[in-house]
Amino acid sequence: MNLSLKHYEAKAREILAKMTPEEKAGLCSGSDFWHTKDVERLGVRRVMVTDGPHGLRKQAGESDHLGINESVPATCFPTAATTACSFDADLLREVGEALGEECLQEGVAVVLGPGANIKRSPLCGRNFEYFSEDPYLAGVMAASLVAGVQSKGVGTSLKHYAVNNQEARRMVIDAIVDERALREIYLAGFEMAVKQAQPWTLMCSYNRINGEYGSQNRKTLTEILRDEWGFEGAVMTDWGAIVDRVKGLEAGLDLEMPYAGPANDAAIIAAFREGSLSGEVLDRATLRILCLLLAAADTAKPGYRYDAAAHHRLARKAAAESAVLLKNEGAMLPLIPGGKIAVTGAFAETPRYQGAGSSRITPIKLDNLCDVLAGRGINFAYAPGYDLESDAPDAILLDEAAAAAKNADLALVCVGLPDAYESEGFDRDHLRIPESHVALLERVAAVNPNTVALLFCGSAVEMPWAGKAKAILLLYLGGEAGAEAAADLLYGDVNPSGKLAETFPLKLEDNPSYANFPGGDKTVEYRESMYVGYRYYDKAGADVLFPFGHGLSYTSFAYRDLSLSESGGIVTASVKVKNTGGKAGAESAQFYVSRKSPSVFSPVRELKGFKKLYLEPGEEKTAVITLDRRAFAWYSVEKKDWVVDAGEYSVAAAVSSRDIRCEAAITLEGEKKRKAAEPAEYLKPGIPFVVSKESFEELYGRTLPPASRLPGEPLTANSTLAEFGKTQTGAEVLAGMKQQMTGSGGDGTFDRMFDRMFGEMPLRALGMFSQGALGPEQIQNLLAAANAEKKE
């Protein structure tokens, strides 16, 4: 069951005809932090929405959008950064179905996810919540998760639409991106999910997109989303993303969340009464929300109970199938039972299994590696090796770990990124893991050559220490059953089959966005254009640590007989894959498309399909995919449409973007190629990738706006709290806010989140966080006082 909201349109229209303008305006905003409004006299009931891209974060008591206050226990599945590495759409659907079941039990109508944003930079603090640097992979995974959730009669909210690729100044930054990159990279995953799965809702992003805020961007919300893609659902804001409520309504925004006081509802009514807002626009938004509420009421199942044990098993399966074996020198893994091992690293006892911020789940059952190994009867000695609260190496802890490793046949070292390193609300400053983790690995490896590194993180890290470990198993953030999955993999109960959904660069400076991330005070320029991730590294011929799509196995696979056929504009590609090793395993055959003589600057190859095959030793199967015209197309800014050049194309079957096993050519009909003059930096990207302002401006097609605030510029409602806080008025307000928020809970990660995230919020956001206690009039008064100080 994946109900279309259109199914409820006739009934919704009947209700709409009976509603007053005030009721219509009221329905266009929430009633509190997590609920919509109702229309009691007409039998329209409010519904609950809640966070949860990888698990349900339903708050039964105090509400927040930062993961501070308690939420009801729920299954914590692996994060999107993890499950994307499964390259298994069926697995994502299965996880989505489980999420839908948990929503049914908890009376949740819409789960706020998944996130389909592109990993432009590995520094983005929220990358753990996103799937990939590749839009095709992100789109397939997002569509599958959406379909799974909605098959249970529960809605999703595809987010954060669009071009939200950093946490720094996320509520005010203007993402300046050229049209080709916008269409081919940053919108393509959303497009796939919308067209294939029709999420009930879509969540707009905080940021500006080429000058206009996502919450009132008519181009993205109406012209592209609805007119081009055929989106049928309702568009809601991210929490506090409203800038101008009436302008947002006219642009295609339907539902404002959360409730931020009566001011915006009153603004809608005032605009309607004076004629500046048409009744048609108001009716359109109200109708979409009514369809959503009717669908939720129709599919609700009071008294429903899900199988928590089954969901935990699924979380374990998802974590195991998503882990990536990066290195396995001398077939170090799988481990042979027997002998004594040393387990080092505090993550073995206190696991890093999910991200921080609004997606933080309270797990039903949380495993740790020490308990799991003990339950298996493994003979091991444990030493924490580092202090979770400090980056500095601890000599005593290191000595204890070295002693344990020296007396063991093999040493496991658990390292990675602590919560304080990556979270919603702030970006990372570098790609290093803590010094204390590196020191532990080096110390252990010095006394025990049989060292295996277990890596826990939500995004790519630098690994100058990689040579110290004979094997590296990347577990990302594996959810509540991640430790059980790790043991399954270590001892060969499960054969690793994960493939990297993002490139791991040798160093941060190699990343194509490095010179332009996170941008200035006002704008961030996407000068690398479509050269994101492997699209850049492969085009420039840059060395990487581990390429996109990389992942080892305990067995081996051979590819042969790649064939292509074309019929009715659809190309069918098939390749035979054989398990040539001695263990059963799974292989994700990746299909990349290349243009032989492109008429515009283009990557060397782009992922356009994949198929995961499960093979017994000696077994051979055929991986088959279909490629439509879009798989061979590029977006023409001039034509405002997708174009397929006439000529020869190559389709490759590969085990990574750098490891091509078979390749075949096909000639397609299309438009005659016409070479256009393009900036030289994009024809042959350099190492490092530096694009001049003039070249990017030429590609962008218009004058670039100022990157930073001008001297003497007055404060506005869109000025950040940090700017506001430089005045005495602002300093007093912020001090009170921090005291109030700190009093509600939190830890060191929260303190950093507050300092970075709140400081970069616009002044208008105070309306949301005060639940309307600070309305537009009070905020304008604060601004007047602050600006008066600046003039003195």
Side-chain angles (χ1 to χ4, degrees):
M1 174 178 65
N2 191 357
L3 286 175
S4 167
L5 296 189
K6 286 285 188 182
H7 176 77
Y8 298 91
E9 188 170 312
K11 185 176 180 181
R13 287 190 181 280
E14 293 178 7
I15 297 172
L16 181 67
K18 302 173 185 177
M19 292 176 69
T20 67
E22 288 76 13
E23 288 170 332
K24 294 175 184 177
L27 204 63
C28 291
S29 65
S31 61
D32 57 25
F33 216 81
W34 298 118
H35 293 87
T36 64
K37 288 195 182 80
D38 58 21
V39 186
E40 190 174 349
R41 74 177 185 88
L42 297 177
V44 177
R45 293 177 294 179
R46 73 176 192 166
V47 301
M48 185 177 196
V49 303
T50 195
D51 283 320
H54 57 271
L56 202 61
R57 193 179 77 91
K58 177 187 176 183
Q59 292 182 310
E62 292 290 325
S63 297
D64 71 85
H65 198 49
L66 302 172
I68 303 166
N69 294 310
E70 285 298 313
S71 57
V72 300
T75 307
C76 181
F77 291 97
T79 65
T82 313
T83 53
C85 297
S86 71
F87 275 66
D88 189 340
D90 293 336
L91 176 64
L92 268 290
R93 183 184 173 97
E94 196 174 351
V95 170
E97 290 170 356
L99 285 172
E101 290 174 359
E102 299 200 15
C103 287
L104 289 175
Q105 174 173 308
E106 298 297 336
V108 172
V110 177
V111 62
L112 303 178
N117 296 98
I118 292 298
K119 298 182 181 184
R120 176 187 179 228
S121 168
L123 291 176
C124 177
R126 212 168 178 177
N127 273 354
F128 63 84
E129 207 171 319
Y130 303 140
F131 291 111
S132 180
E133 68 187 28
D134 181 81
Y136 177 82
L137 179 58
V140 169
M141 294 307 192
S144 298
L145 192 71
V146 168
V149 173
Q150 295 189 174
S151 71
K152 299 297 180 178
V154 174
T156 56
S157 193
L158 185 67
K159 63 184 187 181
H160 304 91
Y161 182 73
V163 204
N164 175 201
N165 309 106
Q166 64 189 62
E167 292 299 284
R169 299 178 290 282
R170 63 177 181 170
M171 296 187 78
V172 295
I173 200 72
D174 189 357
I176 306 299
V177 56
D178 70 276
E179 190 72 12
R180 256 194 86 197
L182 179 68
R183 297 290 191 144
E184 296 189 30
I185 303 296
Y186 296 102
L187 297 186
F190 287 97
E191 180 181 2
M192 287 182 65
V194 166
K195 288 182 175 179
Q196 294 179 16
Q198 280 294 342
W200 285 10
T201 74
L202 181 142
M203 182 188 291
C204 76
S205 60
Y206 290 120
N207 54 285
R208 297 178 192 251
I209 306 160
N210 289 333
E212 185 59 90
Y213 281 102
S215 63
Q216 54 194 46
N217 194 310
R218 178 173 175 78
K219 176 179 178 178
T220 56
L221 295 183
T222 295
E223 294 171 13
I224 295 176
L225 178 63
R226 296 191 184 278
D227 298 345
E228 293 185 27
W229 300 351
F231 178 61
E232 298 174 356
V235 174
M236 69 165 66
T237 63
D238 201 341
W239 267 229
I242 278 291
V243 180
D244 182 319
R245 186 64 187 99
V246 175
K247 189 173 181 180
L249 204 65
E250 293 172 328
L253 177 75
D254 305 308
L255 176 62
E256 175 191 5
M257 291 297 292
Y259 181 69
N264 283 337
D265 292 356
I268 293 173
I269 290 298
F272 172 73
R273 296 290 188 204
E274 68 185 24
S276 59
L277 176 69
S278 73
E280 181 183 356
V281 169
L282 181 56
D283 283 355
R284 181 184 64 195
T286 307
L287 183 68
R288 292 167 182 161
I289 297 168
L290 283 171
C291 287
L292 172 66
L293 301 185
L294 292 173
D298 191 34
T299 56
K301 292 184 178 180
Y304 181 90
R305 291 294 178 266
Y306 67 87
D307 186 339
H311 287 193
H312 186 79
R313 290 192 296 271
L314 176 58
R316 180 178 181 174
K317 172 187 173 183
E321 293 194 14
S322 304
V324 183
L325 183 60
L326 297 176
K327 176 182 178 180
N328 197 21
E329 185 180 310
M332 191 70 196
L333 296 178
L335 303 180
I336 300 173
K340 183 177 181 180
I341 68 173
V343 178
T344 66
F347 281 168
E349 191 174 44
T350 306
R352 175 89 200 286
Y353 63 98
Q354 65 172 326
S358 63
S359 66
R360 184 180 287 277
I361 311 302
T362 301
I364 294 174
K365 175 188 177 186
L366 179 60
D367 304 320
N368 72 63
L369 188 58
C370 288
D371 288 347
V372 169
L373 294 178
R376 282 175 169 251
I378 303 299
N379 180 19
F380 72 95
Y382 167 67
Y386 51 78
D387 184 345
L388 285 171
E389 301 301 319
S390 173
D391 290 352
D394 184 306
I396 295 175
L397 294 178
L398 289 173
D399 287 344
E400 291 174 353
K406 188 174 182 179
N407 295 320
D409 300 308
L410 175 141
L412 300 179
V413 185
C414 299
V415 297
L417 297 177
D419 273 342
Y421 270 54
E422 54 181 352
S423 169
E424 177 180 0
F426 58 85
D427 296 319
R428 286 195 280 166
D429 299 318
H430 54 75
L431 296 187
R432 300 184 298 276
I433 65 174
E435 290 181 19
S436 56
H437 292 222
V438 176
L440 172 63
L441 180 62
E442 292 177 342
R443 188 71 180 276
V444 168
V447 299
N448 193 323
N450 298 322
T451 295
V452 175
L454 303 183
L455 181 58
F456 302 85
C457 55
S459 187
V461 297
E462 294 173 353
M463 299 187 203
W465 43 264
K468 303 292 184 181
K470 282 194 174 178
I472 303 174
L473 181 61
L474 172 62
L475 294 153
Y476 271 106
L477 302 178
E480 66 175 43
E484 289 177 304
D488 292 338
L489 293 158
L490 288 170
Y491 285 94
D493 301 334
V494 176
N495 194 341
S497 61
K499 303 285 189 177
L500 286 179
E502 61 185 321
T503 306
F504 274 50
L506 285 169
K507 59 184 185 300
L508 172 61
E509 291 80 4
D510 295 339
N511 185 266
S513 68
Y514 174 72
N516 301 284
F517 184 96
D521 296 334
K522 299 181 76 171
T523 75
V524 54
E525 297 173 358
Y526 286 48
R527 293 193 188 185
E528 71 279 2
S529 185
M530 61 187 303
Y531 289 126
V532 177
Y534 74 90
R535 285 169 167 79
Y536 164 70
Y537 296 115
D538 293 353
K539 181 78 170 186
D543 291 334
V544 299
L545 182 62
F546 297 109
F548 176 88
H550 170 75
L552 304 177
S553 171
Y554 296 153
T555 189
S556 56
F557 301 95
Y559 287 61
R560 67 182 181 93
D561 298 345
L562 173 62
S563 65
L564 305 175
S565 61
E566 192 265 341
S567 177
I570 302 295
V571 174
T572 300
S574 65
V575 68
K576 293 179 179 178
V577 182
K578 184 176 182 178
N579 184 341
T580 56
K583 297 180 182 295
E587 172 72 345
S588 293
Q590 302 161 43
F591 293 84
Y592 294 85
V593 169
S594 304
R595 303 180 184 95
K596 287 292 186 179
S597 300
S599 57
V600 291
F601 70 85
S602 301
V604 174
R605 61 185 63 90
E606 297 179 279
L607 182 73
K608 296 298 180 181
F610 55 87
K611 183 71 175 179
K612 193 164 191 175
L613 302 174
Y614 293 84
L615 300 167
E616 294 295 325
E619 185 179 12
E620 184 175 64
K621 290 182 180 178
T622 302
V624 181
I625 66 160
T626 56
L627 301 166
D628 60 13
R629 295 282 288 181
R630 178 67 176 271
F632 301 91
W634 57 278
Y635 188 83
S636 169
V637 178
E638 181 183 9
K639 295 179 179 294
K640 297 183 179 180
D641 201 0
W642 295 88
V643 171
V644 175
D645 290 332
E648 187 176 339
Y649 292 80
S650 173
V651 177
V655 297
S656 79
S657 74
R658 293 280 178 97
D659 192 347
I660 308 301
R661 297 299 175 89
C662 300
E663 200 162 5
I666 190 167
T667 300
L668 300 178
E669 294 182 354
E671 298 201 15
K672 186 177 180 181
K673 296 178 208 172
R674 180 173 58 84
K675 281 282 186 181
E678 296 174 307
E681 292 99 322
Y682 297 106
L683 299 176
K684 190 176 181 181
I687 307 172
F689 193 23
V690 178
V691 177
S692 68
K693 176 184 178 181
E694 292 73 22
S695 291
F696 181 60
E697 196 164 69
E698 179 184 342
L699 182 68
Y700 185 55
R702 63 193 113 156
T703 302
L704 295 173
S708 297
R709 183 169 297 277
L710 300 175
E713 199 172 328
L715 296 172
T716 70
N718 291 324
S719 298
T720 66
L721 294 180
E723 293 166 333
F724 176 58
K726 293 177 182 178
T727 66
Q728 183 178 344
T729 301
E732 293 173 356
V733 171
L734 292 186
M737 282 181 60
K738 185 168 185 178
Q739 184 177 8
Q740 181 181 8
M741 296 298 292
T742 305
S744 67
D747 51 22
T749 302
F750 166 72
D751 288 337
R752 188 179 183 199
M753 187 190 302
F754 183 96
D755 291 338
R756 294 278 288 271
M757 177 178 172
F758 280 79
E760 293 172 350
M761 278 186 174
L763 197 57
R764 58 180 159 79
L766 293 179
M768 178 193 71
F769 279 95
S770 67
Q771 291 280 280
L774 281 175
E777 184 176 348
Q778 291 92 333
I779 291 173
Q780 288 302 320
N781 290 338
L782 290 173
L783 276 171
N787 280 323
E789 286 181 38
K790 293 181 69 176
K791 292 179 181 179
E792 293 176 357

